[in-house]
């Protein structure tokens, strides 16, 4: 499906990946109209999206995807031709502390969106549903062998990954049962500008810059397959434009690093960019209690995406990390305001709510 000139409903477009996606998509597709349905939870970051707001082709609608009636009304008003579903509770540690919101947003929310799409989809006015998912649905790999493919059996470990697995199953069921046109991408760990600083990469960059301790779970040997956010965005465009309806595509960066290596690389880059001492940063590593159910290793074999979509990542881990560190250095005020709570007040003042979402 061609994205340009379409009415595109994006969910979670104020979050990390979604907000990067909105900004890049407005540039790449000069006729697309984007409607961003976002509840503006703690993880949302609508600041810095002035470029989108000035485009005349972007609207932010504050609403909860798990609120069925609100979704039905919105879909009837917007009449989207394409839905790109990013919205989720996304942090594994939070899902361990309190899974309820993950079940509500990730499962119930996906269900309500699918229902709203099913109600409007017809052969003459089709709606394509693209679902953004994660490699975590496949569980854990041994340290030194193998990679997930699209046919790997689901085996999620955390409430987060179990809720994402359930949402993937629902999306595929709506294709098989009701003929709703869908595609799914299951991507590895992203990093880049605008990521909420609870996740490993921005947390470590800010801690290094602020001369605070760097908390590493367990022994730091867990491996993730890292992908710069812009490369993920290219993969989503490719899956929507060139993917086959009903198919799933694994998206992986081919940059496997354990957490010690990630922190080492961040220390080197922060030291170079901010004129600091890498050894002094690394001396502040502290090894803390491991995450319960901590998956040892994730890696995606991206051959299907390469062969069918012609997609390959452009950034190396090193070049993507350098861009990320520079972005944080140039936008310190944004990160300071997120952590001070001043930014929550700014959201409350600037965005009115629609039905259904928590205060
Ligand atoms: P994020 O936590 O940064 O942003 C999530 C966004 O969803 C926020 O803007 C939030 O306000 C919104 N949201 C949450 N609950 C909502 C609700 N009930 N109704 C409407 N909006 C709601 O997440 P992210 O890291 O940008 O991830 C986006 C998607 O990509 C998620 O589906 C995630 O599972 C998937 N994913 C993320 C990664 C990663 O490394 N970050 C990797 C693979 C897949
Ligand atoms: O302080 C920390 N110390 C630490 O050692 C944090 C926050 C994390 N870690 C470890 C845990 C993981 O092995 O770093 C690794 C990465 O952790 P997260 O940034 O929490 O990411 P992860 O759990 O791998 O999940 C991420 O990638 C897949 C996203 O949060 C998910 O939304 C996505 O689906």
């Amino acid at each position: 499906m061609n994205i340009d000139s379409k009415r595109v409903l994006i969910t979670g477009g104020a979050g990390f990946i979604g907000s990067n996606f909105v900004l890049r998509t407005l540039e790449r597709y000069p006729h697309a109209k984007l409607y961003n349905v976002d509840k503006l939870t703690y993880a949302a970051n609508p600041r810095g999206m002035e470029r989108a707001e000035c485009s005349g082709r972007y609207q932010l609608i504050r609403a909860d995807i798990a609120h069925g009636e609100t979704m039905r009304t919105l879909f009837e008003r917007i009449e989207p031709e394409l839905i790109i579903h990013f919205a989720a509770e996304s942090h594994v540690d939070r899902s361990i502390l309190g899974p309820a919101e993950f079940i509500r947003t990730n499962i119930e929310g996906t269900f309500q969106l699918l229902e709203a799409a099913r109600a409007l989809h017809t052969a003459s006015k089709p709606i394509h549903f693209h679902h953004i998912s994660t490699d975590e649905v496949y569980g854990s790999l041994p340290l030194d062998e193998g990679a997930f493919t699209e046919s790997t059996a689901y085996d999620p470990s955390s409430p987060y990954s179990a809720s994402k697995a359930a949402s993937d199953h629902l999306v595929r069921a709506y294709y098989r049962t009701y003929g709703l046109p869908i595609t799914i991408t299951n991507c590895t760990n992203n990093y880049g500008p605008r990521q909420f600083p609870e996740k490993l990469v921005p947390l470590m960059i800010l801690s290094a810059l602020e001369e605070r301790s760097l908390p590493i779970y367990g022994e730091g040997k867990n491996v993730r397959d890292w992908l710069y956010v812009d490369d993920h965005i290219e993969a989503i465009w490719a899956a929507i434009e060139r993917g086959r309806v009903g198919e799933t595509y694994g998206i992986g960066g081919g940059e496997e690093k354990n957490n010690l290596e990630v922190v080492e690389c961040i220390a080197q880059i922060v030291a170079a960019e901010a004129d600091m001492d890498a050894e002094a940063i690394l001396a502040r590593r502290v090894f803390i209690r491991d995450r319960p159910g901590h998956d040892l290793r994730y890696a995606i074999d991206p051959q299907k995406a390469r062969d069918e979509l012609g997609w390959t990542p452009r950034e190396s881990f090193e070049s993507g990390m350098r861009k990320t560190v520079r972005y944080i250095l140039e936008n310190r005020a944004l990160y300071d305001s997120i952590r001070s709570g001043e930014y929550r007040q700014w959201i409350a003042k600037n965005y009115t709510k629609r039905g259904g979402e928590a205060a």
Side-chain angles (χ1 to χ4, degrees):
M1 152 178 270
N2 179 8
I3 298 173
D4 210 10
S5 78
K6 291 286 185 302
R7 300 167 68 78
V8 186
L9 190 152
I10 290 169
T11 69
F16 160 48
I17 305 172
S19 63
N20 280 289
F21 185 86
V22 164
L23 292 167
R24 301 268 333 271
T25 299
L26 286 168
E27 283 167 13
R28 159 93 183 249
Y29 298 99
H31 306 294
K33 284 205 175 115
L34 308 189
Y35 301 86
N36 174 15
V37 178
D38 197 299
K39 182 177 167 181
L40 301 184
T41 68
Y42 80 96
N45 188 0
R47 256 179 166 174
M49 295 192 68
E50 295 76 14
R51 256 188 304 137
E53 275 149 24
C54 292
S55 69
R57 295 185 288 118
Y58 168 78
Q59 195 185 341
L60 172 62
I61 300 151
R62 188 176 187 187
D64 183 346
I65 57 164
H67 200 259
E69 207 180 305
T70 307
M71 288 307 108
R72 272 193 301 280
T73 313
L74 270 179
F75 275 51
E76 279 163 15
R77 177 165 75 72
I78 294 169
E79 294 190 332
E81 297 160 284
L82 170 63
I83 292 148
I84 309 177
H85 176 31
F86 292 93
E89 285 294 334
S90 70
H91 194 44
V92 173
D93 294 327
R94 283 180 192 257
S95 84
I96 295 167
L97 291 171
E101 209 48 34
F102 288 73
I103 305 306
R104 192 174 172 279
T105 288
N106 300 359
I107 305 179
E108 174 78 16
T110 302
F111 164 67
Q112 294 297 353
L113 291 170
L114 288 165
E115 278 290 274
R118 179 165 83 94
L120 278 194
H121 169 76
T122 60
S124 58
K125 277 180 126 185
I127 300 182
H128 185 95
F129 193 106
H130 182 78
H131 181 55
I132 309 294
S133 195
T134 170
D135 60 354
E136 297 198 18
V137 297
Y138 301 116
S140 188
L141 289 163
L143 254 197
D144 292 319
E145 58 167 302
F148 303 130
T149 71
E150 292 77 4
S151 55
T152 302
Y154 277 36
D155 187 20
S157 302
S158 70
Y160 163 70
S161 51
S163 69
K164 290 297 291 186
S167 70
D168 292 10
H169 291 318
L170 278 170
V171 172
R172 266 190 287 269
Y174 271 62
Y175 167 64
R176 292 180 191 162
T177 308
Y178 304 114
L180 185 73
I182 65 112
T183 35
I184 301 179
T185 39
N186 290 81
C187 187
T188 58
N189 281 57
N190 283 214
Y191 66 100
R194 307 176 60 81
Q195 187 167 31
F196 193 80
E198 66 191 350
K199 305 291 197 302
L200 180 73
V201 166
L203 179 72
M204 293 297 158
I205 295 173
L206 285 165
S207 302
L209 287 168
E210 293 165 0
E211 301 187 4
R212 287 187 286 115
S213 60
L214 301 121
I216 294 172
Y217 299 165
E219 294 177 2
K221 299 280 172 58
N222 303 66
V223 173
R224 300 292 183 260
D225 179 356
W226 292 95
L227 186 70
Y228 188 65
V229 63
D230 284 358
D231 281 323
H232 187 186
I233 290 167
E234 299 266 355
I236 296 166
W237 289 335
I240 294 168
E241 292 197 328
R242 299 192 284 282
R244 285 180 291 140
V245 169
E247 290 294 314
T248 295
Y249 296 92
I251 308 298
E255 286 278 20
E256 288 187 45
K257 306 272 176 244
N258 73 29
N259 296 333
L260 293 178
E261 292 167 328
V262 172
V263 171
E264 170 88 33
C265 175
I266 288 173
Q268 298 297 344
I269 294 176
V270 166
E273 297 289 328
D275 198 17
M276 293 175 77
D277 177 9
E279 288 311 312
I281 294 171
L282 289 171
R284 282 192 293 277
R285 287 177 304 180
V286 284
F287 292 84
I288 61 172
R289 195 168 69 88
D290 209 354
R291 173 187 279 174
H294 196 175
D295 288 329
L296 184 57
R297 175 171 162 256
Y298 305 138
I300 283 265
D301 173 354
Q303 193 184 338
K304 184 176 175 187
R306 229 179 8 239
D307 293 351
E308 289 192 19
L309 309 178
W311 174 85
T312 45
R314 291 168 203 258
E315 297 291 344
S316 68
F317 184 70
E318 171 96 21
S319 67
M321 197 58 76
R322 196 168 297 281
K323 285 187 175 179
T324 309
V325 169
R326 285 185 182 157
Y327 177 86
I328 291 182
L329 279 170
E330 286 159 15
N331 291 276
R332 286 297 287 280
L334 177 65
Y335 287 87
D336 288 346
S337 70
I338 287 172
R339 289 182 306 165
S340 72
E342 176 257 333
Y343 144 90
R344 295 302 317 163
Q345 292 162 17
W346 181 85
I347 286 188
K349 212 168 65 209
N350 283 276
Y351 294 99
T352 50
K353 300 175 200 165
R354 292 182 73 94
E357 85 280 19

